Amino acid sequence: MSSNKPQVVGWIGLGSMGLAMAQNVQIFLQRDMKSQLRFWNRTASRGAPLESLGGIGCESIAQLVTECDLIFISTSDDAALNAIIDQILAVKDIDGKLFVDTTTVHPSTTRDTNEKLKKLNASFVAAPVFGATPAAESGTVLMAMAGPSQAIDQIARFGKGDIARDVMIVSDQPEKATLLKALGNFLVAGTMEIVGEAQVLAEKSDLGTDMLEKLLELNFGGLMHSSSRRMTQGVYLPEEGQAPWSNLNLGIKDVQHGISCAENVGARLKVAEVALDNMIRARDFSDAHGGRPLDSSSGYGVIRQDSGLDFVNTFVKERDARKEGDYSR
């Protein structure tokens, strides 16, 4: 891609995270480059907020790739990414184009994607982000980039300050960024498991969840405190009609990737295995209650059940008191 001509930027995938990040990119493009983001999503109506900001919808992935030099991808999982890449590879000419994938996928998927694109003389950077939807909306996620240094230089202006609060340059091998993301997801899942167990003990022993939460805030850092708030303030079980911060099914996928990465090198993530079991059981709870969407922190509800408490804590019961349905068991 020539650095002497203006970049035409595209975005594929407008889930909760993708839409939030794409909106920030469009605001940046409109403000600093006087250009407009092209976008595509399987459900076209998801692009309405981008259109209101001046973005331009494309009818197909092929159209977007043909028109753009730099293409961001944000989708749900490995299968979805592979399907998008297949459509990209079907485009007649992608020589010199740069693709940036923000999706959380297995490192082997990232490696395969890079190899496929390189064969057609396209560049690829893996750029997964750390953080839930609210952080994506505010541009305060952390982004990890890995790929050729020249390609990373070309997209640096879209990272810190627009999509993310900061950017970590990991490696020239794209799969190292998604490996780091897998480790990050393990740390988050493990933290939620530990905090969930501690909160249940605090509640059952009459110490009180507020007192433990204050300790977490003052002495154990933002991750533990925010994990606790997701539980005590009902984020783990969103209100009817509200999307979770971080979808439980995607959280299960993320933890499975971490366990797989460990197995591939002869290691084991035992805490992840415990967290995964609780998350799968939380999914069973969701299935038993009409498929009510749950947050990835909802293993907390299972920890409560295993200790003789209701899946639903007092905060959620009071919040949902006027809503139909009994979710106590």
Side-chain angles (χ1 to χ4, degrees):
M1 186 194 318
S2 172
S3 59
N4 295 322
K5 70 173 184 176
Q7 287 180 324
V8 180
V9 183
W11 194 285
I12 297 172
L14 299 175
S16 296
M17 294 288 289
L19 178 60
M21 292 188 289
Q23 286 177 292
N24 289 333
V25 169
Q26 166 58 21
I27 291 169
F28 164 75
L29 289 173
Q30 192 83 3
R31 181 188 69 233
D32 292 2
M33 299 177 65
K34 310 305 179 187
S35 62
Q36 297 163 293
L37 181 72
R38 271 69 169 171
F39 65 87
W40 179 89
N41 191 65
R42 184 176 56 185
T43 303
S45 60
R46 288 282 298 173
L50 269 175
E51 287 184 336
S52 70
L53 292 173
I56 300 173
C58 293
E59 293 184 358
S60 67
I61 289 176
Q63 179 192 350
L64 183 145
V65 172
T66 299
E67 294 181 0
C68 297
D69 309 297
L70 167 62
I71 299 99
F72 288 88
I73 303 170
S74 176
T75 191
S76 57
D77 56 26
D78 302 58
L81 176 62
N82 286 333
I84 289 169
I85 295 300
D86 285 344
Q87 293 183 65
I88 290 171
L89 296 175
V91 176
K92 185 177 181 180
D93 181 12
I94 61 171
D95 190 310
K97 295 181 185 290
L98 171 55
F99 297 87
V100 182
D101 181 34
T102 69
T103 312
T104 299
V105 294
H106 196 284
S108 63
T109 300
T110 300
R111 184 176 59 250
D112 292 345
T113 299
N114 182 45
E115 291 174 354
K116 291 174 183 177
L117 292 171
K118 282 178 65 177
K119 287 180 179 178
L120 296 180
N121 202 32
S123 298
F124 178 69
V125 173
V129 297
F130 299 80
T133 301
E137 292 171 343
S138 62
T140 56
V141 294
L142 175 65
M143 176 174 277
M145 290 185 185
S149 59
Q150 184 178 9
I152 289 176
D153 289 344
Q154 291 174 3
I155 61 175
R157 57 185 165 179
F158 296 99
K160 186 175 180 179
D162 289 290
I163 293 178
R165 71 180 187 273
D166 209 343
V167 175
M168 296 178 63
I169 307 302
V170 182
S171 170
D172 60 357
Q173 301 174 56
E175 62 269 23
K176 297 302 184 184
T178 42
L179 175 59
L180 184 66
K181 181 64 193 300
L183 287 171
N185 288 336
F186 160 65
L187 292 171
V188 171
T191 298
M192 289 194 292
E193 177 66 28
I194 292 168
V195 171
E197 292 179 12
Q199 277 292 16
V200 167
L201 175 57
E203 181 175 343
K204 293 206 69 175
S205 61
D206 296 325
L207 172 65
T209 59
D210 290 345
M211 184 58 65
L212 175 59
E213 194 157 272
K214 190 65 176 178
L215 172 65
L216 294 174
E217 178 183 17
L218 295 175
N219 204 53
F220 289 95
L223 178 57
M224 281 202 165
H225 181 244
S226 64
S227 296
S228 179
R229 296 285 290 177
R230 287 172 78 165
M231 300 168 194
T232 62
Q233 301 303 301
V235 174
Y236 79 99
L237 207 172
E239 291 184 69
E240 290 281 6
Q242 294 295 313
W245 284 9
S246 176
N247 183 276
L248 172 62
N249 291 322
L250 297 182
I252 289 172
K253 175 261 298 182
D254 293 346
V255 175
Q256 288 173 329
H257 282 345
I259 292 171
S260 171
C261 289
E263 291 175 346
N264 288 343
V265 296
R268 186 175 177 186
L269 302 180
K270 293 184 180 180
V271 174
E273 294 170 6
V274 174
L276 177 61
D277 180 67
N278 287 338
M279 294 168 78
I280 290 172
R281 291 169 61 197
R283 184 174 60 188
D284 293 340
F285 174 91
S286 170
D287 292 342
H289 294 88
R292 182 171 179 174
L294 298 181
D295 187 71
S296 59
S297 58
S298 55
Y300 166 63
V302 172
I303 297 169
R304 292 176 58 82
Q305 287 180 318
D306 286 347
S307 299
L309 300 173
D310 290 341
F311 188 99
V312 182
N313 66 8
T314 300
F315 180 94
V316 173
K317 288 180 181 178
E318 292 177 351
R319 185 195 69 192
D320 295 353
R322 296 181 182 180
K323 298 184 180 295
E324 295 181 359
D326 178 13
Y327 297 95
S328 63
R329 289 290 183 183

